[in-house]
Amino acid sequence: MIACAVCMQAQSGAAVSGLHAAVLTLVVVTVVVLAGFGHFVIRVARRQ
Amino acid sequence: MRVSSVFSRDHKVVGLQYGITSLLFLLLGFTLILLIRWQLAHVGIAAPWLARLVGQTNAPDGIMAPEFYNQLGAMHGTIMVFLAVVPLAVGAFGNYLIPLMLGAPDMAFPRLNMLSYWIYLAAGLVMLTSFVLPGGAANSGWTSYPPLSIIATTGQTWWLCGMFLLIVSSLFSSINIITTILQLRPLGMRMMDLPFFLWAQLVTSFLLLLAFPPLQGAAILQLMDRVAHTSFFLPTGLMVSDKMLNVSGGGSPILWQHLFWFLGHPEVYVLILPAFGIVAHVISNETRKPLWGQRLMVYATLFMGFMSFLVWAHHMFLTGMGPTMSAFFQVTTMIISIPSVIIVTGLLLSLYGGSIRFTVPMMFALAFLPMFGLGGLTGLPLGLAATDIPLHDTYYVVGHFHYVVAPGTLFALFAGIYYWFPRITGKKLNDTLGVVHFWGSLVGMNGIFLPMLIQGLAGVNRRLYDGGLSYPHAAGLAHLNTGQFYSAIFLGVVQLVFIGNFIRTLMKRRDADDNPWGATTLEWSVPRPHDAHTAIPFTTAARYDTGVSNVTLGFWLFLASEVMLFGAMFSAYALLRVSADSWPHGRSVLNTTLALVNTSLLLSASVPAWLAAHKAFRPNARAVTPLLATSGASALVFLAVKLFEFRTEIMAGLLPRTSTFYATYFTLTGLHALHVVGAILATIWILVSARRVDTAMTYGRLKCLALYWGLVEIVWLGILGAVYFA
């Protein structure tokens, strides 16, 4: 991997793809969980 | 002192226990940094007192050993962040004040509350004990980056165990705080009626609940690397001291950064949000007027909490993540600065037109604003890749972070201590000594941290044992280390004034009235002494506005943290698999027939549990017992099959250390199997205790068990798809 991705325009490579996959997985899980909380918050707001 | 008062479930006792313990950790963490600053200012100068203090091994002939210097750095960061500031901000202030501000008798789960404190204490003691181990404490920095942390001395294993305990404690605490604020509000108190302090604690607890589990997952993986010799974080061909490391390789050090910073960045908001809450409370009272734009500040806090989960990779610009991802995290990082600005602006505007009283807590609260502002503004260049790359790993980062946490958060915590001390003890801390403490701390902290920004801009790296003397570009600034050392000494002397004031006030007779600040918030309306503990009445009824009972909400929160734990594990799987040169297909190397058998066994364990929780069986204990027995028996057979599968693979020489694939397989399925064990134990507990408790309580427990089985089932299906059949 190239140390400075921004300078060197490194976009490919297995390691970079792996990190992208990991970040995407965690973002999806986090957004789903937070959406669940959001749903709960809206429910509470409507009941108040 | 009675044992019952030590192991008290009273939120006030637990809050005080957190407070005293975290203050002691704060003192210890500060002492470690005095040693670090001494070393940086006296490179190569022998000091016999140092050898006497820390031993010949750590300071041969009075000169600090580099290995010991590394231990001091790693443990200073760990103690300050995880054992001092967060427990003080959330454990102490949160536990003590939340029920009082709500007019509630206690926290929602008092037993869990007590347990969270004792687990926290155990975690701290485990970490401290590592100092006396051969090789000393953890020495890979507070971030524990691999590969260094994998090949480090035994202290790192203790660090990981301590961190694991700390996360469990934090989980209990956050579930308790969220449930208490949402469920124990007085009837008619809407969410927007809550004081800003409670909003800050609420969002902080959500961050703790969801951000810590990925680090727990990472700690499990690092423990596997250290104990079972797997290679989750070790790449192929790693050389240590000119020798090839004898491991399978195939792992990625970036995986640790990814999981660590998923906690690490929300942790910054865990540190700062309670501080905002305290400062807002003090400013509102000492200006004698409501906060300016409280509703806007609440929305900003909620938005900040949400966004804090989407910025973590700005700590990883140097990993070569690629411009697309780098751009995404730069944008989210710039966006998250907006709510911070809104909150600080709201606090500043709250001063306008107020009848300001310059009391000691108010002085700390006022100083917090520019100090946090400086910390925040110096963080902006670190959120942009182009400027972060030259500044990364320099003293600039250390200076920025310390401005946020030291004269930032710590000033807010001091404001809180001075402000609520009369509420807790009936005595007021001495004002003159308080003013000395405030001005001394302001001068001392700036004397330490401002030069760090200069050093960092000059390119001086952090964690240099010799303070940069061996580098020409840094040697010219070495004189700043001397000034920082004397500033640290001065800061220490000033803290002695605070400690003296604290002890002196505790020992004198009660002298303050019940409300010396003329506060109007609810926590001051409870007449002192309020040391009598009112047990919280247990209820299985759902609250009218949330629609759930305390236990149900608490359990859903627990499940959310479990989802984050397994989400992190699957994220690790994704990284390792996609970046691997070769990755075997699970169906060609694993026993998929046994996996399908186990799937059906899990279904026959979870379906009866769901049926038992169904309303149709609610009054019928006779029907529930065989259903639970079937569930437990199926789960036991599942475990037996899993053990057989493990045994077959181990007998064939396929161990976790064989390859990253097997490491992932054993760890994921093993962690899942532990959850099945948990379900079996819960089933037995419900069956045994059903005779002693009423039907409604048993029904509530059965619902929780059914939900838990749902999680276990879904995780298994994920493992089946990803590991066995993909």
Side-chain angles (χ1 to χ4, degrees):
Chain A
M1 294 174 78
I2 299 162
C4 175
V6 175
C7 306
M8 308 305 288
Q9 294 295 304
Q11 297 207 58
S12 57
V16 174
S17 306
L19 183 59
H20 287 190
V23 168
L24 194 64
T25 308
L26 206 46
V27 165
V28 169
V29 172
T30 307
V31 169
V32 168
V33 172
L34 289 176
F37 282 126
H39 173 73
F40 177 73
V41 168
I42 291 168
R43 191 172 79 156
V44 173
R46 282 185 180 160
R47 281 175 176 238
Q48 280 187 344
Chain B
M1 185 179 282
R2 288 180 304 171
V3 174
S4 59
S5 61
V6 174
F7 293 97
S8 173
R9 300 175 201 170
D10 184 350
H11 72 98
K12 297 184 289 293
V13 176
V14 176
L16 288 176
Q17 287 173 325
Y18 261 113
I20 299 297
T21 313
S22 54
L23 280 172
L24 289 174
F25 276 122
L26 194 67
L27 187 63
L28 178 65
F30 181 71
T31 309
L32 298 188
I33 206 62
L34 284 181
L35 291 175
I36 289 178
R37 297 258 48 116
W38 186 90
Q39 159 64 21
L40 294 175
H42 302 86
V43 179
I45 297 173
W49 61 267
L50 186 63
R52 284 196 296 273
L53 184 68
V54 299
Q56 271 293 326
T57 315
N58 294 322
D61 302 324
I63 297 176
M64 189 181 289
E67 294 80 6
F68 185 61
Y69 177 84
N70 285 341
Q71 290 174 41
L72 292 176
M75 293 308 287
H76 164 72
T78 304
I79 289 171
M80 285 306 212
V81 172
F82 296 110
L83 296 174
V85 178
V86 176
L88 184 57
V90 182
F93 283 107
N95 273 314
Y96 199 97
L97 294 169
I98 288 171
L100 293 182
M101 286 189 182
L102 291 170
D106 204 327
M107 299 293 278
F109 307 114
R111 191 177 295 163
L112 206 61
N113 205 22
M114 176 195 73
L115 206 55
S116 78
Y117 168 72
W118 288 104
I119 295 174
Y120 152 66
L121 183 64
L125 293 178
V126 164
M127 287 195 178
L128 290 190
T129 308
S130 63
F131 269 111
V132 296
L133 291 173
N139 53 15
S140 311
W142 77 282
T143 51
S144 281
Y145 273 10
L148 189 61
S149 56
I150 310 292
I151 57 172
T153 49
T154 318
Q156 181 63 25
T157 305
W158 286 59
W159 187 93
L160 290 165
C161 293
M163 189 55 71
F164 193 90
L165 287 173
L166 203 58
I167 295 169
V168 173
S169 156
S170 170
L171 176 67
F172 287 172
S173 190
S174 52
I175 287 176
N176 225 337
I177 288 175
I178 296 169
T179 310
T180 303
I181 294 176
L182 292 178
Q183 295 287 110
L184 301 191
R185 280 171 295 130
L187 295 175
M189 181 191 264
R190 292 167 307 166
M191 289 301 289
M192 276 301 165
D193 297 333
L194 290 175
F196 185 71
F197 175 89
L198 293 183
W199 273 106
Q201 290 281 339
L202 181 67
V203 177
T204 302
S205 299
F206 269 111
L207 300 187
L208 285 171
L209 182 81
L210 301 181
F212 255 126
L215 181 63
Q216 200 168 26
I220 292 170
L221 299 182
Q222 196 176 113
L223 267 175
M224 287 292 288
D225 273 10
R226 289 183 57 85
V227 178
H229 308 294
T230 55
S231 295
F232 286 111
F233 303 114
L234 298 176
T236 308
L238 184 67
M239 305 284 285
V240 177
S241 303
D242 295 331
K243 285 184 184 170
M244 181 86 82
L245 210 61
N246 184 24
V247 291
S248 68
S252 168
I254 295 171
L255 174 59
W256 173 266
Q257 293 192 31
H258 164 60
L259 296 177
F260 179 86
W261 288 114
F262 186 82
L263 157 86
H265 202 81
E267 180 76 8
V268 176
Y269 298 97
V270 167
L271 292 165
I272 203 67
L273 281 176
F276 279 144
I278 293 170
V279 168
H281 209 82
V282 171
I283 284 182
S284 176
N285 192 66
E286 299 305 90
T287 54
R288 320 304 296 159
K289 63 194 268 290
L291 286 175
W292 182 90
Q294 169 155 339
R295 184 177 284 263
L296 189 63
M297 284 168 64
V298 168
Y299 288 138
T301 306
L302 286 169
F303 184 66
M304 188 192 282
F306 173 77
M307 287 303 292
S308 71
F309 288 107
L310 299 174
V311 294
W312 78 94
H314 70 223
H315 293 269
M316 300 164 59
F317 286 140
L318 255 68
T319 60
M321 65 174 82
T324 311
M325 190 147 288
S326 168
F328 172 77
F329 282 103
Q330 287 178 76
V331 170
T332 54
T333 305
M334 290 302 111
I335 289 173
I336 203 172
S337 63
I338 297 169
S340 309
V341 172
I342 291 174
I343 295 172
V344 173
T345 307
L347 293 173
L348 272 172
L349 288 175
S350 298
L351 300 173
Y352 181 75
S355 176
I356 299 175
R357 297 187 301 202
F358 287 96
T359 57
V360 177
M362 185 60 168
M363 290 165 86
F364 274 105
L366 287 175
F368 166 88
L369 297 174
M371 292 295 102
F372 171 75
L374 192 53
L377 286 174
T378 49
L380 287 177
L382 300 174
L384 297 167
T387 38
D388 176 69
I389 288 167
L391 291 171
H392 195 92
D393 231 10
T394 67
Y395 264 107
Y396 182 88
V397 179
V398 186
H400 148 69
F401 182 67
H402 278 83
Y403 263 110
V404 173
V405 178
T409 303
L410 277 180
F411 270 24
L413 295 177
F414 279 130
I417 291 170
Y418 280 98
Y419 183 73
W420 280 297
F421 198 84
R423 169 67 291 177
I424 296 165
T425 64
K427 303 165 189 178
K428 188 161 163 279
L429 287 163
N430 182 279
D431 284 337
T432 310
L433 293 177
V435 170
V436 172
H437 177 219
F438 165 71
W439 283 109
S441 298
L442 189 67
V443 172
M445 286 193 185
N446 279 288
I448 300 169
F449 304 128
L450 199 60
M452 284 183 181
L453 298 175
I454 299 166
Q455 288 170 313
L457 287 169
V460 181
N461 274 75
R462 63 198 292 196
R463 293 176 178 149
L464 292 177
Y465 164 72
D466 64 356
L469 283 181
S470 51
Y471 295 92
H473 74 280
L477 292 170
H479 62 280
L480 292 177
N481 287 325
T482 310
Q484 287 167 295
F485 168 66
Y486 287 115
S487 295
I489 293 289
F490 176 68
L491 185 62
V493 171
V494 171
Q495 301 319 302
L496 290 178
V497 173
F498 168 70
I499 294 168
N501 191 5
F502 194 94
I503 295 171
R504 175 180 164 273
T505 310
L506 277 181
M507 291 177 73
K508 72 180 182 183
R509 286 195 306 171
R510 187 179 166 196
D511 64 346
D513 60 31
D514 275 351
N515 190 352
W517 314 113
T520 54
T521 42
L522 204 54
E523 80 273 19
W524 295 91
S525 67
V526 184
R528 290 200 79 261
H530 54 80
D531 53 358
H533 179 219
T534 314
I536 192 156
F538 183 83
T539 175
T540 52
R543 190 185 154 95
Y544 75 100
D545 55 357
T546 60
V548 287
S549 69
N550 298 354
V551 173
T552 308
L553 178 62
F555 202 78
W556 271 107
L557 294 169
F558 167 69
L559 289 183
S561 75
E562 288 282 277
V563 170
M564 294 307 296
L565 171 67
F566 279 105
M569 299 305 261
F570 280 109
S571 173
Y573 165 82
L575 188 147
L576 293 169
R577 174 157 192 164
V578 174
S579 60
D581 293 331
S582 65
W583 189 272
H585 289 290
R587 58 182 176 275
S588 57
V589 290
L590 297 174
N591 191 332
T592 49
T593 312
L594 281 184
L596 289 173
V597 168
N598 257 350
T599 307
S600 59
L601 280 168
L602 263 193
L603 275 173
S604 57
S606 57
V607 171
W610 274 96
L611 287 173
H614 197 273
K615 281 180 185 168
F617 293 94
R618 189 171 179 179
N620 193 347
R622 283 187 182 176
V624 167
T625 305
L627 282 170
L628 287 186
T630 309
S631 170
S634 299
L636 275 174
V637 179
F638 170 90
L639 287 178
V641 172
K642 183 91 304 252
L643 279 175
F644 174 76
E645 197 183 331
F646 277 0
R647 184 178 172 277
T648 311
E649 275 136 9
I650 291 168
M651 295 293 278
L654 301 168
L655 301 167
R657 65 168 179 261
T658 303
S659 70
T660 313
F661 170 80
Y662 279 104
T664 310
Y665 159 73
F666 276 105
T667 308
L668 262 179
T669 54
L671 188 63
H672 175 266
L674 282 177
H675 281 72
V676 175
V677 171
I680 294 170
L681 293 175
T683 307
I684 294 169
W685 175 63
I686 291 171
L687 274 173
V688 170
S689 63
R691 293 174 191 274
R692 287 186 281 111
V693 298
D694 61 33
T695 312
M697 193 183 282
T698 303
Y699 178 63
R701 288 174 179 174
L702 286 171
K703 275 206 299 189
C704 291
L705 182 67
L707 286 171
Y708 186 73
W709 267 116
L711 173 86
V712 172
E713 193 72 52
I714 290 168
V715 169
W716 175 254
L717 291 176
I719 292 173
L720 195 70
V723 179
Y724 283 92
F725 284 99

